Amino acid sequence: MARDVVDDIAGAWDAELPGVVGAELEISKRAARLSALLNAPVETKLARLGLTKAEYDILAVLRAAGEPYRLRPSALTQRLALTSGGTSNVLRRLTLAGLIERDPDPSDARSSWVRLSPAGVTKAEEAVRAASAAQAALLRDVPPEATRAAIDALRTVLIALGDTAG
């Protein structure tokens, strides 16, 4: 069986501290490396569109919400695992760029909605297409059954760790 970089890292730790480091290191390192590999080409494409990864993530989540393409800032923070301060900074940049609009909540004066502007809908769709194409190109040599097995295994781990929808 072919080895990857994580096999070498885990092997080194096993030689240095036998039995101390195990599956937890392997899964965390592999998840981090997979994320880095999948995000690198996406970030390149996004930079060409004038977007950061955080800006893209917010635009994509709003677009995926369906019309009227709006969510509360707290929902964005939760879905994207950002801090509220980080979310606020990104929302400020997107507002200045004319890609989102902030609407007061008539039923709760303390709350607001974040909504894609028409330009934001267009930019979100352009960015999602570019990101998807970049990741598809990267994954082209991975057998579809391996991709599906990885998706299912990662879902099982995330749910076991309490990362559930709703």
Side-chain angles (χ1 to χ4, degrees):
M1 172 184 271
R3 295 176 53 84
D4 68 4
V5 173
V6 176
D7 289 325
D8 291 343
I9 293 168
W13 277 112
D14 192 45
E16 293 298 316
L17 293 171
V20 174
V21 176
E24 68 284 350
L25 173 94
E26 289 191 58
I27 196 165
S28 67
K29 291 291 184 189
R30 283 196 172 90
R33 288 186 61 77
L34 180 60
S35 178
L37 289 168
L38 287 170
N39 282 325
V42 169
E43 289 174 1
T44 299
K45 295 281 189 185
L46 295 176
R48 290 182 190 146
L49 295 173
L51 295 172
T52 66
K53 180 74 166 63
E55 291 165 344
Y56 163 75
D57 287 341
I58 286 178
L59 293 176
V61 167
L62 287 169
R63 177 59 185 86
E67 286 193 63
Y69 312 120
R70 73 176 192 173
L71 292 169
R72 295 187 187 284
S74 58
L76 291 167
T77 297
Q78 180 184 8
R79 288 185 191 192
L80 298 173
L82 297 171
T83 64
S84 59
T87 301
S88 293
N89 288 333
V90 177
L91 293 177
R92 191 171 15 264
R93 291 194 311 264
L94 292 170
T95 301
L96 289 172
L99 299 175
I100 64 164
E101 297 169 357
R102 305 287 296 260
D103 298 325
D105 184 344
S107 65
D108 183 355
R110 299 167 297 153
S111 187
S112 66
W113 292 96
V114 176
R115 177 175 44 85
L116 286 177
S117 67
V121 173
T122 301
K123 181 67 89 171
E125 291 174 357
E126 181 181 13
V128 168
R129 284 186 178 96
S132 294
Q135 289 179 334
L138 184 67
L139 293 170
R140 73 179 170 277
D141 294 330
V142 179
E145 59 277 4
T147 300
R148 178 46 52 197
I151 291 166
D152 293 341
L154 289 167
R155 179 186 308 107
T156 300
V157 171
L158 288 168
I159 290 170
L161 294 175
D163 190 27
T164 57

